[in-house]
Amino acid sequence: MTRTLNDISIGNNALPPPGKHLCRCVGAKAWVSPNKKTPAAMLTFITRDGAYQFDDPVFVTAKALGRLSLVSQRLCHLEKTVVLPDDDMAAAKQLARYITDNASGQDILLTIEEQDEQYMIQEGPEVGQVKTRTRRRVAYGGYEIPVEEQVP
């Protein structure tokens, strides 16, 4: 099997291979995307065996309200009966604050997926050429509450 750049760990943000992994959230903070300036709750996870440490941004937008709700319920154990503001953006901000305040120290079963994405070279001798790279990320709905036997 051929090794690619995607197989080489860079810093502390190397995601584990595709599949389900028991992880612990070791950090949660407010963060802003450097490209589009979108606010997010940046969650830092470590696999239970300690082999991987990686980040997963949960963006704070009205359209991401479903994912914020899922993460707050499954990772932070927020009750489904919590009353939220009628405005979607206000509700997203409230959930993001709850996540950053309560996610650290929680165990979760994360699903890692792998996708090919295309990009265009912007500068250099290959400018204009389209390349493909494989990228790993936490699945959109990839947060599952682990069963008791999975958590040591």
Side-chain angles (χ1 to χ4, degrees):
M1 179 185 255
T2 308
R3 185 167 85 156
T4 65
L5 284 177
N6 191 53
D7 298 323
I8 298 172
S9 170
I10 299 174
N12 70 341
N13 207 31
L15 275 81
K20 294 182 185 292
H21 299 275
L22 184 61
C23 300
R24 173 162 285 172
C25 183
V26 293
K29 63 181 180 181
W31 179 78
V32 177
S33 161
N35 295 337
K36 295 182 180 179
K37 308 299 183 217
T38 307
M42 181 60 78
L43 303 175
T44 302
F45 293 98
I46 188 165
T47 54
R48 292 303 292 206
D49 62 5
Y52 295 92
Q53 182 175 334
F54 56 95
D55 297 328
D56 182 35
V58 181
F59 290 101
V60 183
T61 66
K63 288 185 176 182
L65 189 56
R67 186 162 197 251
L68 285 160
S69 175
L70 181 138
V71 172
S72 64
Q73 289 177 51
R74 294 185 182 173
L75 178 64
C76 303
H77 310 289
L78 182 64
E79 294 293 323
K80 293 181 180 185
T81 56
V82 168
V83 178
L84 296 173
D86 290 334
D87 178 68
D88 284 352
M89 192 59 201
K93 288 178 181 178
Q94 181 178 329
L95 290 175
R97 276 191 303 275
Y98 187 84
I99 290 168
T100 56
D101 290 345
N102 295 284
S104 290
Q106 300 294 329
D107 291 313
I108 194 75
L109 189 62
L110 292 178
T111 302
I112 306 297
E113 63 183 14
E114 193 171 69
Q115 294 178 332
D116 289 337
E117 62 181 31
Q118 292 186 329
Y119 64 99
M120 185 177 290
I121 304 293
Q122 299 295 321
E123 49 189 53
E126 297 179 329
V127 69
Q129 291 185 15
V130 176
K131 300 269 185 171
T132 302
R133 67 177 160 218
T134 302
R135 183 173 164 232
R136 291 180 189 160
R137 65 180 186 148
V138 177
Y140 180 83
Y143 284 73
E144 296 176 39
I145 298 171
V147 293
E148 295 286 329
E149 303 84 51
Q150 294 173 310
V151 181

